[in-house]
Amino acid sequence: MVDLDVNDKMLVFATRSLNFGHGRPDIHSSLVLAGCSPDEADEVIERAAAGIKQRRDAEEKAKRIGALCLLAFGLAMLAMAYYASTGQVPSGRYGRLFMGYAVGGGAALVALWMLIT
């Protein structure tokens, strides 16, 4: 696990520059001008890139878990709405049944979209 030391100004600079889309040669020359040695600048850029990759991987995993939970919720809502539509719903409750189908189907579709993208 790569920790970002917020007190290391060079590492913070390299991380922000990579996040903004600046190229490695530009960041390297800026770090050298700021007082880093060329070897230290390369190390700082590599640590920043590893930290960014780790953060993006963690975000992807959290998104996947959230999508699976949302999919389970949507499918459960659809199952309950289907069960209620088999004749168990007293008259006057069809609005709730429709909302169960709408919320369950919507949640399932959003979860599938999250998993695909």
Side-chain angles (χ1 to χ4, degrees):
M1 181 173 171
V2 178
D3 291 326
L4 177 62
D5 182 14
V6 295
N7 294 323
D8 187 357
K9 293 179 183 177
M10 300 299 175
L11 182 60
V12 172
F13 171 77
T15 303
R16 290 188 64 191
S17 297
L18 285 172
N19 280 331
F20 286 134
H22 297 286
R24 288 177 185 246
D26 296 334
I27 299 169
H28 186 270
S29 62
S30 296
L31 288 173
V32 170
L33 286 176
C36 281
S37 67
D39 293 335
E40 185 182 359
D42 289 335
E43 178 188 340
V44 167
I45 292 171
E46 290 303 320
R47 285 179 38 212
I52 291 170
K53 183 183 181 314
Q54 178 184 2
R55 179 181 50 84
R56 288 183 180 156
D57 290 344
E59 288 173 358
E60 184 70 27
K61 183 179 178 184
K63 179 182 173 185
R64 191 176 316 118
I65 290 172
L68 289 174
C69 291
L70 187 61
L71 182 63
F73 168 75
L75 292 178
M77 286 291 292
L78 284 173
M80 287 188 282
Y82 177 74
Y83 170 74
S85 69
T86 59
Q88 306 295 326
V89 178
S91 68
R93 301 288 185 218
Y94 291 107
R96 292 182 187 172
L97 181 63
F98 174 73
M99 287 304 295
Y101 275 120
V103 170
L109 288 176
V110 168
L112 288 174
W113 177 76
M114 287 173 66
L115 286 172
I116 290 171
T117 58

